[in-house]
Amino acid sequence: MSWYRNTVWFLKGLREYTRSGYDSASKHFVPADLEVNVTGRSFMITGANSGIGKATATEIAKRGGTLHLVCRNKERAEEAKREITTETGNQNIFLHILDMSNPKGIWEFAEKFKAEHKLNVLINNAGCMVNKRELTEDGLEKNFATNTLGTYILTTALLPLLEKEDDPRVIIVSSGGMLVQKLDVSDLQSENITFDGTMVYAQNKRQQVVLTEQWAKVHKNIHFSAMHPGWADTPAVRSAMPEFYEKMKNKLRTEAQGADTVVWLAVSPAAAKQTSGLFFQDRQPVSTHLLLARTYSSPEEEEKLIKTLEELSQKFKPT
Ligand SMILES: NC(=O)c1ccc[n+]([C@@H]2O[C@H](COP(=O)([O-])OP(=O)(O)OC[C@H]3O[C@@H](n4cnc5c(N)ncnc54)[C@H](OP(=O)(O)O)[C@@H]3O)[C@@H](O)[C@H]2O)c1
């Protein structure tokens, strides 16, 4: 099955996820969707110092939004802020230093943020593909801690703040790579498998899609979406997938093309009219499963994901 899934997925990727895939999809975009002014609205973007996150931040800054850039490295974050401010002239850009693999730090950050700011749109963009099994200081597997648990805690902690605002949205930058994985809640920390970073990452990205669907069912006042940026030329792709990068470098999307659907989901009135909880690619909701790939999970498995994340997250919540 994994051979079948990987092959079908790669062929799909060559057609749709590449720059040429973007070029053909973008012929159907409605340019007016992004001709909006979002002055007065507040956006948080994790991993905003490079790649898709930075490109998203730049586009939102051009449209007047207040930006909260959440990054783990102070120097890289300050450099990105300087560049975005210079390019867009937007002065309402704020930096927050946070490691998304540190669950206690995320709870503390969110509590402080809630007391000081408002938030209309949360963009969970920070992500990693660590190719060896590495543990955080808390003993958590690093991909899981960053991609799944970090996203879960930040979003959960900020939901009450989002609920207070007009047209609140949560966007998760997932990946089409999740299509090759069926949700597996039996081994969230990859303790009992031969570790394969690509597959662990894909499993985390599947978990993000399931989380998006589950949150949308419960929090009706907030618009949730997950998305795939396509294959974009970013530092993460170069460093975590060097062979893929070498093979595909002439076919990859630009960072701005990868960010296009994130921006569309974050600012356009058109996106808010879509059903909450869907998975998007090139401004369109798309299936979360490949044909005949047997990746559907049961409601029990999906509930178990939420329950396990909730229990784990509570262990790190400051009292
Ligand atoms: N590029 C693609 O083709 C592609 C395809 C599918 C999905 N995605 C997703 O797109 C998102 C953005 O990735 P990208 O491709 O734009 O790569 P990128 O330029 O390397 O951006 C990743 C961002 O996440 C940050 N980050 C990673 N771990 C973090 C942590 N523990 N705490 C805080 N920030 C952390 C990175 O910070 P540092 O700069 O400090 O490392 C960086 O700002 C990711 O979620 C990725 O999975 C990308």
Side-chain angles (χ1 to χ4, degrees):
M1 185 47 86
S2 67
W3 182 87
Y4 168 79
R5 285 181 196 159
N6 291 344
T7 308
V8 171
W9 176 78
F10 190 69
L11 294 174
K12 180 182 173 65
L14 284 176
R15 220 174 36 246
E16 299 176 18
Y17 302 164
T18 49
R19 199 183 321 137
S20 62
Y22 178 86
D23 289 340
S24 36
S26 63
K27 290 192 182 112
H28 306 286
F29 290 176
V30 178
D33 282 358
L34 294 188
E35 289 163 13
V36 288
N37 185 326
V38 288
T39 302
R41 283 176 68 76
S42 174
F43 300 77
M44 180 185 292
I45 308 174
T46 63
N49 60 286
S50 85
I52 290 159
K54 184 176 167 208
T56 300
T58 305
E59 289 306 311
I60 295 174
K62 282 182 193 164
R63 291 167 176 77
T66 295
L67 281 167
H68 295 281
L69 312 181
V70 176
C71 308
R72 65 176 158 182
N73 179 287
K74 193 162 181 286
E75 285 73 43
R76 287 198 287 274
E78 280 170 353
E79 175 68 21
K81 179 185 163 181
R82 253 193 312 277
E83 285 177 22
I84 299 169
T85 308
T86 307
E87 185 178 339
T88 66
N90 189 326
Q91 300 298 322
N92 293 316
I93 303 180
F94 304 94
L95 278 188
H96 308 270
I97 304 305
L98 176 68
D99 187 328
M100 287 297 293
S101 69
N102 173 356
K104 184 160 174 274
I106 302 173
W107 280 120
E108 287 167 351
F109 161 74
E111 278 316 302
K112 188 163 179 289
F113 187 89
K114 276 196 282 191
E116 294 170 358
H117 304 280
K118 71 165 206 160
L119 187 64
N120 296 93
V121 182
L122 167 62
I123 302 174
N124 287 294
N125 165 77
C128 64
M129 183 192 289
V130 181
N131 285 312
K132 283 198 187 120
R133 189 170 186 278
E134 289 176 21
L135 301 183
T136 66
E137 279 178 15
D138 298 302
L140 299 165
E141 191 281 315
K142 250 186 201 164
N143 292 293
F144 167 75
T146 310
N147 301 326
T148 302
L149 188 63
T151 299
Y152 179 83
I153 296 177
L154 185 65
T155 307
T156 305
L158 292 175
L159 287 175
L161 191 63
L162 287 155
E163 292 266 10
K164 289 186 199 164
E165 295 304 324
D166 176 45
D167 186 12
R169 305 183 189 190
V170 173
I171 297 150
I172 299 187
V173 180
S174 173
S175 169
M178 65 90 195
L179 290 166
V180 304
Q181 286 279 311
K182 177 182 186 298
L183 177 68
D184 180 1
V185 274
S186 68
D187 188 18
L188 290 176
Q189 310 250 21
S190 308
E191 285 165 300
N192 306 318
I193 51 161
T194 308
F195 194 85
D196 173 343
T198 312
M199 287 303 129
V200 169
Y201 168 86
Q203 174 61 222
N204 294 165
K205 294 291 173 178
R206 166 66 73 187
Q207 291 158 1
Q208 291 183 337
V209 167
V210 173
L211 279 179
T212 306
E213 292 166 348
Q214 296 299 312
W215 276 326
K217 282 186 205 162
V218 180
H219 304 281
K220 302 281 188 198
N221 298 335
I222 301 176
H223 190 273
F224 291 88
S225 43
M227 61 79 67
H228 173 46
W231 292 335
D233 187 345
T234 64
V237 172
R238 288 175 188 225
S239 63
M241 308 176 77
E243 285 171 22
F244 174 82
Y245 178 74
E246 261 322 297
K247 214 163 43 185
M248 299 299 295
K249 63 183 174 198
N250 297 324
K251 293 190 171 63
L252 298 178
R253 296 176 175 205
T254 63
E255 291 170 343
Q257 289 170 343
D260 174 81
T261 295
V262 192
V263 178
W264 182 82
L265 287 167
V267 305
S268 80
K273 291 188 189 124
Q274 297 278 345
T275 305
S276 181
L278 300 179
F279 179 64
F280 288 81
Q281 175 188 315
D282 291 330
R283 304 191 192 182
Q284 291 290 329
V286 292
S287 175
T288 55
H289 299 278
L290 294 171
L291 194 65
L292 305 175
R294 298 195 185 173
T295 46
Y296 287 91
S297 42
S298 66
E300 291 74 25
E301 286 167 313
E302 295 173 2
E303 277 161 30
K304 190 172 170 207
L305 174 69
I306 302 282
K307 193 166 173 280
T308 311
L309 292 178
E310 180 55 27
E311 284 170 6
L312 190 54
S313 71
Q314 288 299 324
K315 286 192 188 157
F316 296 100
K317 194 171 182 179
T319 45

